[in-house]
Amino acid sequence: MRAPPVYAIVCALSACAATVEPLIVPQGRDGFVVTCDGPDGWDACRRTATEWCGGNYRVVDRQEQGKRLTAECRKYERYE
């Protein structure tokens, strides 16, 4: 049985999606956690963090298991 085209597109998009959860980083500033355990892996995390912060963020923690990136937005340059 063939999947309808809409179903195939939704599946393809959700496979590389990352989720963002706001939190307070250990330094007491506003931050977020990006979970991106899909096929794009860390690339999806970096893309999502860049979009979430408008380009500038600092990585606070990285967990290989489950591909979780904890970061905070920065006003100026981006550094990891």
Side-chain angles (χ1 to χ4, degrees), residues 10-73:
V10 169
C11 288
L13 292 175
S14 65
C16 55
T19 59
V20 179
E21 181 181 327
L23 61 81
I24 303 297
V25 296
Q27 296 83 3
R29 295 187 287 265
D30 290 334
F32 57 94
V33 174
V34 182
T35 304
C36 46
D37 55 357
D40 281 353
W42 291 116
D43 287 337
C45 274
R46 287 188 284 273
R47 256 192 325 271
T48 303
T50 299
E51 291 170 6
W52 183 263
C53 291
N56 304 318
Y57 67 91
R58 182 178 79 85
V59 174
V60 176
D61 187 36
R62 236 174 97 136
Q63 296 176 359
E64 189 64 39
Q65 185 175 0
K67 299 276 193 270
R68 292 173 53 92
L69 179 75
T70 304
E72 66 177 337
C73 295

